[in-house]
Amino acid sequence: MSSSIKKIPVEVSASFQEMFLKNSPLHTTEVELETLYKKYRREISDRDVIFLGAGTCGLAAGAGKTLKAIKKYLQDKALEDRVEVVEVGCIGACFAEPMVDIKLQGRRRLSFQQVTEEKVADILDALFTKNNIAPVLKHIFGQFEDEHALPWENLPSVSEHPFFKKQRRFVLDQCGVINPVSIEEYIAHGGYQAFLRTIHTITPSNICDMVEKSGLRGRGGGGFPTGKKWKLALANSADQKYIICNADEGDPGAFMDRAVIEGDPHKLLEGLLIGAYAIGASKAYIYIRAEYPLAVKNLTQAINDAKKYKLLGENIYGSGLDLDVIIKMGAGAFVCGEETALIHSIEGKRGMPRPRPPYPAASGLFKKPTIINNVETFANIPLIISRGHEFFSAIGTSNSKGTKVFALSGKIKRTGLVEIPMGTTLREIVFEIGGGIEHDYKFKAVQIGGPSGGCIPEEKLDIEIDYESLKAVGAMMGSGGLVVMDEHTCMVDVAKFFMDFIQRESCGKCIPCREGTKSMLEILKAITQNRKHEKENETLVRFQGIMNFERLAQVIKDTSLCGLGQTAPNPILSTLRWFRDEYEAHIYDRKCPAGACQELLSYSIDKEKCKGCTLCMKVCAVNAISGERKQAHSIDQEKCILCGACFRSCKFAAIKVS
Amino acid sequence: MAMVESILKKYHSSKRDQLIPILQAIQEAQGFLSRESIIRVGEFLNLPVSKIYGVATFYNQFRFKAIGKYHVMICRGTACHVKGSKSILELLEENLQIKAGDTSRDGLFSIEVVACIGACGLAPVISINGEFHGHLTKEKLITLLDECRKNK
């Protein structure tokens, strides 16, 4: 199976039938099950369906306007009865957003890319009135594989598209495919079967065993074996235990948790339910970022629907498990990704970490045993239960099993969410899945793991991704942000960006992190500052900072209280390790080779191109430009404050930056 | 203040873990946390006002100034940074004549810098009153702002 974009028909198990029939608040007879099934399994639906990718990224690309245009079209052509419009989550191909899929009855689902509002009429005309897709071929992304439907001739398959070909999608398999706010649709695609099987046939300790044997490790960054953690909590007998899902995706550059919650919230819930059963928790919290309004909305709906189907509440399906799920909105603090800080935040305090042990599995929320896992970790659980731990542990490398979702962004041709088996190389991700660098510039580095991770250079692109190999090159898995950088990105500037972020987000509890990160930022600022702006003894301070730079980084790493501080110097240490020459150019030559550090640039006028229009003279705030009308001008470097106003104003591209 | 009372009515228990949700609800309703509302929450939860300020100032989400009619959130995540969000922010500040975190005098605009909006695939991204705009260029930004001004 190269990719699970194709839909595998799901066997309807007896327990599923029973559940659907007995507990559905809407339907009760067997006859209705079949019609229900037809309604929610759209590959066998007897209506035409239009799917619109309406996740946050789709909406940012204009999916809202596309939806309006589609609805208007259907109204104008009186097609509303024949065609159903379904808003789905994000399939992960951000570069192709907004995406619209059209499934005509009996035909394979066709995917169209970059469907902005003006393209809607053409595409819908082609499919619904003219029955000729030739004029819209250029908008087609591909067709979904489907054994039961008639294929479109000579059209590529979605799973053969280079973006999807190397992916193996388990966590994301339903994202962008099914309607995320319909529990019936999730169930009709085999959802909650793993949970029902678990509570009826497997003991909690066996679940923990299975998860441990599967080799699943925490997907939030740390990589602690999930099964082992659960066992710790299970062994702890307490009157009340808690399970928390950490959906406070604070890493800038990571958005996989948002996509899972927006596109397939029930998968997270199912994993959470199984986890609660495994450790014996009766209360679950989902700590989610307030910056993700759509994810919060879909998740709230999912929880309410699960309550209707009695999947939440007391004595769930006769198993004796009680579970209540509460959504807690994060309030925007990066440090709350740390588990003890997150617990403090839920308790209504400042999100500051505390020393461990005791670990939360022994004493966590309200001093009770607590398990905290990331969204992606929970989303893997139903798979382990339904396909078996052997299936899961067969994927990946010796110490890292399964797949990992990465958020590919930055200066790359195809941005989006990719789910690949562990052991895939970074080169495959960047150059095959991502299609290489935008505008075919030269690749410089890929930043992995957010502010705790590091930058990996070209020569290390062939390492196979797993938790250990990334650590060996000075980066870390983190939550899975992959930001690609090209030759125009300055690595010192990137390090400065992360340090600026970290020192703002440092909670201030321990001194190495609070003061150390601030000092690191000051040193980086001094390195990227123009000599002209140095006053009094600042040159000396700059020199002193450079001398102590690496030592300071090491001290912060060794002495900070929590993970945030301990990993804070990583962006600097990794860039120093792989891009030392760039630091040296900034320090010794006071030049930025990538041309990104504004203060280190110098502006000059190309005498050949300058027409002497005097416009730049007028915009210069410090009168640094002189010259006669209709003759070439020149810039007085001593007076120039590097504001760049002349560069922006010049209509003849005569002002050069170096 | 009637609004604060109606929010507090929804929270029957006055336990400490209700603090952040209450503050979030108040900010959602009035756009920021006013001095009076914080004092009232202190009475309700039986917590010193200093503690509440301690929590509220710790988190980036809470604001203590009224926001503008158009609240512009600009993403400064890694992907957006690499794609030039810094110059977008500079242009935004120049165009609106306010700094990040401030509200313009006419109350029309306010700027907030956020760590990551989570739409990295479409960097650089801003959101105006919750509506996302991706692949932003300077020209696109100016058009957007002008549209806001027109519809004031």
Side-chain angles (χ1 to χ4, degrees), chain A residues 234-254:
Chain A
L234 179 66
N236 225 317
S237 55
D239 55 335
Q240 170 84 59
K241 292 181 196 172
Y242 294 102
I243 191 160
I244 301 176
C245 171
N246 181 356
D248 189 43
E249 193 170 42
D251 277 17

Side-chain angles (χ1 to χ4, degrees), chain A residues 103-115:
Chain A
K103 164 107 185 59
L104 298 184
Q105 207 191 323
R107 300 301 297 270
R108 287 190 178 179
R109 183 167 166 175
L110 255 188
S111 202
F112 293 86
Q113 58 183 340
Q114 285 159 358
V115 186

Side-chain angles (χ1 to χ4, degrees), chain A residues 56-57 59-61 94 252-255 258 289-292 328-333 335-336 345-352 366 409-411 415 438 483-485 489 493 497-498 501 505 507, chain B residues 16-21 24 28 51 54-55 57-62 73 76-79 81-83 86 90 94 113-123 125 130-135 138:
Chain A
T56 299
C57 31
L59 292 173
C94 297
F255 54 97
R258 172 181 68 70
R289 290 188 79 189
E291 284 91 340
Y292 290 169
K328 278 271 176 182
M329 301 256 274
V335 69
C336 287
S345 179
I346 293 184
E347 289 173 349
K349 298 174 188 155
R350 296 160 70 135
M352 284 178 163
F366 305 119
S409 62
K411 298 194 174 172
T415 55
E438 238 180 5
V483 184
V484 178
M485 295 161 188
T489 315
D493 181 60
F497 165 78
F498 280 119
F501 177 78
E505 294 296 333
C507 77
Chain B
R16 174 80 185 254
D17 63 331
Q18 300 294 343
L19 172 59
I20 295 173
Q24 281 169 333
E28 175 83 34
K51 281 257 183 230
V55 170
T57 52
F58 181 84
Y59 295 99
N60 297 330
Q61 192 193 13
F62 297 115
M73 293 211 279
R76 285 287 282 133
T78 322
H81 176 74
V82 169
K83 291 273 212 163
K86 198 174 171 193
E90 278 163 9
E94 192 184 307
V113 172
V114 292
C116 186
I117 287 182
C120 313
L122 304 166
V125 190
E131 200 178 313
F132 291 86
H133 303 275
H135 292 308
K138 292 188 173 177

Side-chain angles (χ1 to χ4, degrees), chain A residues 16-87:
Chain A
F16 160 71
Q17 290 214 20
E18 194 189 11
M19 172 176 153
F20 222 179
L21 298 175
K22 280 196 187 149
N23 292 292
S24 160
L26 314 163
H27 315 277
T28 43
T29 67
E30 207 154 326
V31 189
E32 275 177 308
L33 179 67
E34 214 178 298
T35 44
L36 249 185
Y37 221 57
K38 268 208 168 138
K39 187 169 168 203
Y40 296 117
R41 292 292 297 270
R42 294 178 207 278
E43 64 272 27
I44 48 174
S45 165
D46 50 14
R47 291 173 82 187
D48 296 334
V49 190
I50 297 176
F51 301 87
L52 174 81
T56 299
C57 31
L59 292 173
K65 287 178 188 155
T66 305
L67 178 66
K68 265 189 210 148
I70 291 174
K71 289 210 166 137
K72 183 163 184 299
Y73 179 93
L74 295 179
Q75 205 176 10
D76 290 351
K77 307 267 168 170
L79 284 166
E80 282 161 308
D81 293 329
R82 199 184 119 192
V83 187
E84 190 181 0
V85 181
V86 182
E87 288 179 52

Side-chain angles (χ1 to χ4, degrees), chain A residues 119-168:
Chain A
K119 292 180 192 158
V120 167
D122 284 347
I123 292 173
L124 299 191
D125 267 346
L127 281 147
F128 293 109
T129 56
K130 294 186 184 140
N131 294 324
N132 174 21
I133 57 166
V136 292
L137 275 180
K138 57 180 183 292
H139 304 313
I140 291 180
F141 187 81
Q143 58 179 329
F144 281 63
E145 279 170 33
D146 182 353
E147 288 157 22
H148 303 286
L150 195 64
W152 296 88
E153 265 173 49
N154 299 327
L155 285 185
S157 156
V158 169
S159 56
E160 288 300 311
H161 189 281
F163 184 75
F164 288 110
K165 202 170 177 191
K166 290 229 158 172
Q167 294 194 44
R168 286 192 75 174

Side-chain angles (χ1 to χ4, degrees), chain A residues 305-612:
Chain A
D305 287 346
K307 277 183 190 153
K308 267 190 221 151
Y309 276 82
K310 300 181 185 128
L311 287 158
L312 293 173
E314 282 173 12
N315 192 14
I316 300 166
Y317 286 84
S319 64
L321 170 70
D322 302 339
L323 191 69
D324 190 15
V325 179
I326 298 162
I327 295 181
K328 278 271 176 182
M329 301 256 274
F334 177 65
V335 69
C336 287
E338 206 279 342
E339 50 182 17
T340 57
L342 190 150
I343 288 172
H344 284 155
S345 179
I346 293 184
E347 289 173 349
K349 298 174 188 155
R350 296 160 70 135
M352 284 178 163
R354 62 160 173 80
R356 296 176 300 178
Y359 287 91
S363 169
L365 187 62
F366 305 119
K367 304 238 175 346
K368 300 288 181 189
T370 305
I371 286 298
I372 303 175
N373 280 120
N374 164 271
V375 174
E376 201 187 331
T377 316
F378 281 123
N380 269 301
I381 301 290
L383 171 77
I384 294 173
I385 305 295
S386 58
R387 307 283 288 265
H389 60 87
E390 296 91 353
F391 174 82
F392 190 85
S393 62
I395 309 166
T397 65
S398 60
N399 57 43
S400 308
K401 305 294 185 191
T403 59
K404 175 80 191 90
V405 183
F406 286 101
L408 197 54
S409 62
K411 298 194 174 172
I412 190 153
K413 281 184 187 151
R414 290 194 281 266
T415 55
L417 281 179
V418 297
E419 182 175 352
I420 43 103
M422 298 277 190
T424 308
T425 66
L426 278 169
R427 192 179 296 279
E428 283 173 289
I429 299 182
V430 174
F431 288 97
E432 289 178 39
I433 296 174
I437 309 299
E438 238 180 5
H439 312 301
D440 290 314
Y441 286 133
K442 208 167 155 282
F443 173 88
K444 185 183 263 178
V446 53
Q447 210 284 339
I448 182 166
S452 314
C455 294
I456 295 173
E458 164 102 52
E459 64 261 31
K460 292 286 168 193
L461 275 188
D462 289 310
I463 57 163
E464 295 184 341
I465 295 180
D466 68 22
Y467 288 94
E468 273 65 33
S469 68
L470 287 175
K471 263 186 208 149
V473 292
M476 66 181 272
M477 185 77 85
S479 55
L482 273 181
V483 184
V484 178
M485 295 161 188
D486 69 2
E487 54 189 317
H488 299 292
T489 315
C490 167
M491 300 316 284
V492 182
D493 181 60
V494 168
K496 193 168 81 173
F497 165 78
F498 280 119
M499 218 19 89
D500 183 43
F501 177 78
I502 287 286
Q503 61 89 25
R504 255 186 294 123
E505 294 296 333
S506 170
C507 77
K509 184 166 184 169
C510 73
I511 298 162
C513 174
R514 184 184 65 217
E515 302 299 325
T517 53
K518 215 166 224 130
S519 298
M520 296 287 274
L521 177 66
E522 273 163 20
I523 297 169
L524 285 170
K525 275 187 179 160
I527 293 177
T528 51
Q529 195 184 35
N530 193 297
R531 176 176 278 153
K532 269 189 250 176
H533 298 159
E534 282 175 359
K535 289 180 198 87
E536 295 170 1
N537 63 347
E538 278 178 3
T539 313
L540 202 64
V541 173
R542 173 179 184 266
F543 181 68
Q544 197 184 19
I546 293 163
M547 297 296 289
N548 290 310
F549 197 41
E550 279 177 288
R551 208 180 119 223
L552 181 58
Q554 203 55 47
V555 170
I556 298 174
K557 214 175 160 150
D558 294 340
T559 56
S560 290
L561 172 64
C562 79
L564 182 130
Q566 286 157 15
T567 56
N570 279 359
I572 289 182
L573 290 172
S574 76
T575 45
L576 259 179
R577 180 165 163 196
W578 304 113
F579 302 96
R580 210 176 179 91
D581 53 333
E582 279 193 39
Y583 278 89
E584 285 169 358
H586 282 79
I587 292 170
Y588 302 131
D589 309 336
R590 300 217 186 215
K591 285 269 169 216
C592 176
C597 296
Q598 215 174 3
E599 286 238 337
L600 299 183
L601 301 177
S602 63
Y603 292 89
S604 58
I605 292 175
D606 188 338
K607 303 258 182 243
E608 304 281 300
K609 284 186 185 161
C610 181
K611 306 274 187 228

Side-chain angles (χ1 to χ4, degrees), chain B residues 74-99:
Chain B
I74 172 161
C75 176
R76 285 287 282 133
T78 322
C80 288
H81 176 74
V82 169
K83 291 273 212 163
S85 69
K86 198 174 171 193
S87 59
I88 298 276
L89 176 62
E90 278 163 9
L91 180 75
L92 193 62
E93 290 181 335
E94 192 184 307
N95 190 293
L96 300 181
Q97 292 289 309
I98 46 171
K99 287 278 171 206

Side-chain angles (χ1 to χ4, degrees), chain B residues 23 27 30-35 37-38 52-67 101 103:
Chain B
L23 294 181
Q27 176 156 305
Q30 68 179 11
F32 70 109
L33 298 176
S34 64
R35 211 185 141 89
S37 59
I38 288 186
I52 299 182
Y53 266 107
V55 170
T57 52
F58 181 84
Y59 295 99
N60 297 330
Q61 192 193 13
F62 297 115
R63 291 182 293 263
F64 305 95
K65 258 186 239 168
I67 53 168
T103 307

